[in-house]
C-alpha cells in the first residue's frame, strides 16, 4: 500500500508542477517592445478609445511600431504592412492615454 501511496503522491506533485508552469506561461504577457527613440513616420496614425488603440499604416512601406502610454505601460511591437491595421490596449478606466508611436525592433519582441 505504501508503494501505491508514494506513486500517487509523485503523480500529484508532477501534475501540480506542470499545471503551475502552464499557468505561468499563459498569464505572462508579451515582452515589452524594444522601442527606439525614433518616432513612427507621420503616415502611421493611431486612434484611441477607452478599450482599444488602433494603429493604421498609411505609408508605402511596412513599419514596426509600438504605442507609448502616459504611465509607461509596456506595449508589444507590431509589424504593420502598408494599408494595414494593428490593435493595442486603449486608455481604460484609469485614463492611461497613448501619447505617441515609436518604431521598434520586432526581432527582440515576442509579439512581432
Amino acid at each position: 500500500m505504501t508503494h501505491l501511496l508514494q506513486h500517487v503522491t509523485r503523480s500529484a506533485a508532477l501534475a501540480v508542477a506542470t499545471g503551475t508552469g502552464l499557468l505561468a506561461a499563459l498569464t505572462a504577457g508579451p515582452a515589452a517592445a524594444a522601442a527606439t527613440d525614433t518616432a513612427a513616420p507621420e503616415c502611421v496614425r493611431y486612434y484611441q478609445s477607452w478599450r482599444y488603440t488602433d494603429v493604421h499604416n498609411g505609408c508605402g512601406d511596412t513599419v514596426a511600431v509600438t504605442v507609448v502610454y502616459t504611465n509607461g505601460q509596456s506595449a508589444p511591437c507590431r509589424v504593420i504592412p502598408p494599408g494595414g491595421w494593428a490593435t493595442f490596449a486603449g486608455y481604460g478606466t484609469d485614463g492611461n492615454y497613448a501619447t505617441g508611436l515609436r518604431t521598434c525592433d520586432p526581432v527582440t519582441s515576442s509579439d512581432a
Side-chain angles (χ1 to χ4, degrees):
M1 192 61 152
T2 303
H3 180 65
L4 178 61
L5 183 58
Q6 287 175 342
H7 179 69
V8 170
T9 303
R10 286 185 191 138
S11 296
L14 180 60
V16 168
T18 302
T20 303
L22 287 173
L23 182 61
L26 291 174
T27 57
T36 67
D37 288 333
T38 306
E42 289 185 23
C43 50
V44 181
R45 299 187 179 254
Y46 67 93
Y47 309 90
Q48 66 179 318
S49 69
W50 77 272
R51 186 159 181 161
Y52 301 111
T53 299
D54 293 314
V55 178
H56 178 254
N57 179 6
C59 305
D61 296 318
T62 297
V63 295
V65 297
T66 187
V67 177
V68 179
Y69 294 95
T70 54
N71 74 352
Q73 169 182 318
S74 65
C77 182
R78 300 255 165 80
V79 177
I80 311 171
W85 290 84
T87 302
F88 295 84
Y91 52 81
T93 57
D94 63 351
N96 184 27
Y97 293 94
T99 60
L101 301 171
R102 295 272 180 226
T103 60
C104 57
D105 183 1
V107 176
T108 60
S109 175
S110 67
D111 191 17

